[in-house]
Amino acid sequence: MTDPHDITEIAVEAPSLDVPPLDRRGRPMHDLRISVMDRCNFRCPYCMPESTYGEHFTFLRNDERLSFDEIERISRLAASLGVSKLRLTGGEPLLRPKLAELVARLRRIPGITDLAMTTNGVLLARHAQDLRDAGLDRVTVSLDTLDPALFHRMSGGRGALDDVLGGIEAAQAVGFPQGVKLNTVVQRGVNEHSVLDLIERFRSTGIIPRLIEYMDVGNRNDWNREAVVPSAELIAAIHARWPLDPLPPKYEGEVATRFRFRDGQGEIGVISSVSQPFCGDCSRARLSSEGTLYTCLFAVQGTDLRTALRDGSSDDAVRERLRQVWLNRADRYSEEREERRQRSRPKIEMHYIGG
């Protein structure tokens, strides 16, 4: 079987270099998620479970991770191909020393209009001001519950809720231009009962919670569909407590479906990548900390860019490799998974708001 990520196997007629590339399904490349650190100070079961990333797991050496120079170079080349949004991730990105220096460098890249970071928040209080001064536009904090004991368990026994809440407060205080959001992964039988408490805590603060369906990210977390709480179910429960109205997307390809509280106390979002896949307009790629480019969040195979960055290849050569990878992209993992499920089960229609 031909590997869709192997650009040597597939001949694609290339358009002019001045035209941003579209993949096989007509999707542009607008967003690049950059992992700056493979390590994390949490062991969340759905992301970096202790069973896989325990004390005997071998993480990357410093020289195996992309340097700031290499990250900046890839980002500049990606921007020349149409990328306008960069998001720094991990692992935990704030474990990377001098991260604000990288933020300042990325901020200066022409064409980058949105520079964001996702963090577990534990170290955020000590870095928020430096990140804001360096030019970070917004920050998203992962927070799955406000129950201290449950939080401790969901972080793999390594996190303290008070530290995360302190980080959120610090981020809000420094005034990131595009604000602060929360990412809450909801799992059946784990934390779905605590969602309303979290919404109540933040709904009038200007901080936007986003509820994420439990996903098989990277196919590495022993995912079970029975643990998925569909977004429609969550929205129905929230709507029954605080009436909601749907909001239009802010831009084409926005992953979150947005709702505002009818009483004017803010908004929330849901990310329904399992129950309502949005592959059709996905414009996102991700770059791992060792320099592998993945064209789907769920992909387990990608394209090595680090070698080209270190073997003397010219910018034009690396840019062309990036362009070819995107031209050959045909990923639609979530849609295919849902199609398989629909073939094997009766169709069940679900609606966000029932009145």
Side-chain angles (χ1 to χ4, degrees):
M1 179 181 296
T2 300
D3 181 350
H5 298 285
D6 187 348
I7 64 173
T8 65
E9 296 286 342
I10 305 170
V12 177
E13 184 176 350
S16 166
L17 287 176
D18 295 330
V19 178
L22 301 179
D23 72 5
R24 292 182 178 186
R25 300 178 64 81
R27 300 169 294 190
M29 179 169 58
H30 283 164
D31 306 64
L32 181 61
R33 301 171 62 93
I34 302 169
S35 174
V36 298
M37 173 59 74
D38 57 319
R39 299 173 185 266
C40 186
N41 41 11
F42 282 10
R43 287 296 178 269
C44 302
Y46 59 78
C47 182
M48 294 183 70
E50 185 75 36
S51 58
T52 301
Y53 298 91
E55 60 179 322
H56 299 297
F57 184 83
T58 302
F59 288 96
L60 298 174
R61 301 189 309 269
N62 289 342
D63 65 306
E64 292 176 317
R65 299 187 195 97
L66 294 186
S67 68
F68 284 180
D69 286 344
E70 290 166 335
I71 291 172
E72 181 183 2
R73 185 183 179 196
I74 284 289
S75 298
R76 286 186 180 277
L77 296 174
S80 75
L81 294 173
V83 166
S84 59
K85 298 183 178 183
L86 300 177
R87 176 177 292 275
L88 304 181
T89 69
E92 170 48 47
L94 291 177
L95 290 177
R96 184 74 182 253
K98 301 182 180 180
L99 187 64
E101 176 185 317
L102 176 63
V103 169
R105 294 170 68 167
L106 299 179
R107 177 77 281 167
R108 293 192 289 267
I109 296 176
I112 298 302
T113 60
D114 188 346
L115 182 54
M117 182 187 70
T118 299
T119 172
N120 62 32
V122 167
L123 302 175
L124 185 56
R126 71 182 72 169
H127 294 290
Q129 188 65 60
D130 287 344
L131 293 167
R132 171 67 178 89
D133 293 343
L136 192 70
D137 289 317
R138 56 195 171 101
V139 64
T140 299
V141 179
S142 299
L143 178 62
D144 295 330
T145 182
L146 292 175
D147 180 322
L150 180 57
F151 178 90
H152 188 70
R153 177 160 63 88
M154 292 189 72
S155 64
R158 300 194 180 194
L161 178 61
D162 286 345
D163 292 338
V164 177
L165 295 176
I168 293 170
E169 292 175 1
Q172 191 172 32
V174 302
F176 287 102
Q178 297 182 35
V180 180
K181 295 181 180 178
L182 305 180
N183 276 353
T184 300
V185 176
V186 184
Q187 298 178 65
R188 177 95 56 202
V190 179
N191 67 327
E192 84 273 23
H193 65 282
S194 66
V195 167
L196 291 181
D197 289 340
L198 188 142
I199 298 298
E200 184 171 29
R201 170 73 176 264
F202 291 104
R203 80 180 194 98
S204 59
T205 64
I207 294 172
I208 301 174
R210 300 194 302 181
L211 308 177
I212 303 175
E213 292 180 345
Y214 175 47
M215 300 182 284
D216 44 338
V217 178
N219 290 270
R220 67 189 180 192
N221 59 356
D222 296 324
W223 182 78
N224 179 357
R225 190 183 180 90
E226 298 304 314
V228 176
V229 182
S231 295
E233 181 179 325
L234 294 170
I235 289 299
I238 296 167
H239 178 66
R241 178 82 171 270
W242 302 287
L244 297 166
D245 290 317
L247 289 171
K250 287 185 176 180
Y251 53 87
E252 184 178 356
E254 184 175 20
V255 299
T257 302
R258 301 165 55 231
F259 298 86
R260 70 173 184 88
F261 292 106
R262 198 171 291 171
D263 62 5
Q265 298 301 304
E267 70 174 75
I268 62 170
V270 291
I271 298 177
S272 313
S273 57
V274 177
S275 66
Q276 296 189 356
F278 40 80
C279 301
D281 57 5
C282 177
S283 60
R284 290 163 289 283
R286 62 185 175 96
L287 182 68
S288 72
S289 51
E290 72 268 31
T292 300
L293 185 74
Y294 296 92
T295 54
C296 176
L297 178 64
F298 301 96
V300 294
Q301 292 183 315
T303 300
D304 171 33
L305 296 180
R306 185 180 65 187
T307 297
L309 292 171
R310 297 183 179 183
D311 68 3
S313 295
S314 67
D315 280 355
D316 285 345
V318 178
R319 182 177 187 268
E320 179 60 14
R321 184 163 179 80
L322 267 173
R323 195 174 68 88
Q324 287 293 331
V325 168
W326 195 261
L327 288 170
N328 283 298
R329 178 190 191 234
D331 303 273
R332 52 186 297 268
Y333 175 85
S334 293
E335 289 180 348
E336 291 172 342
R337 177 186 55 198
E338 182 63 14
E339 288 168 2
R340 290 192 297 269
R341 189 180 78 92
Q342 294 294 342
R343 286 195 295 267
S344 62
R345 296 186 180 185
K347 185 174 181 180
I348 299 175
E349 293 188 1
M350 300 195 72
H351 303 277
Y352 276 121
I353 297 179

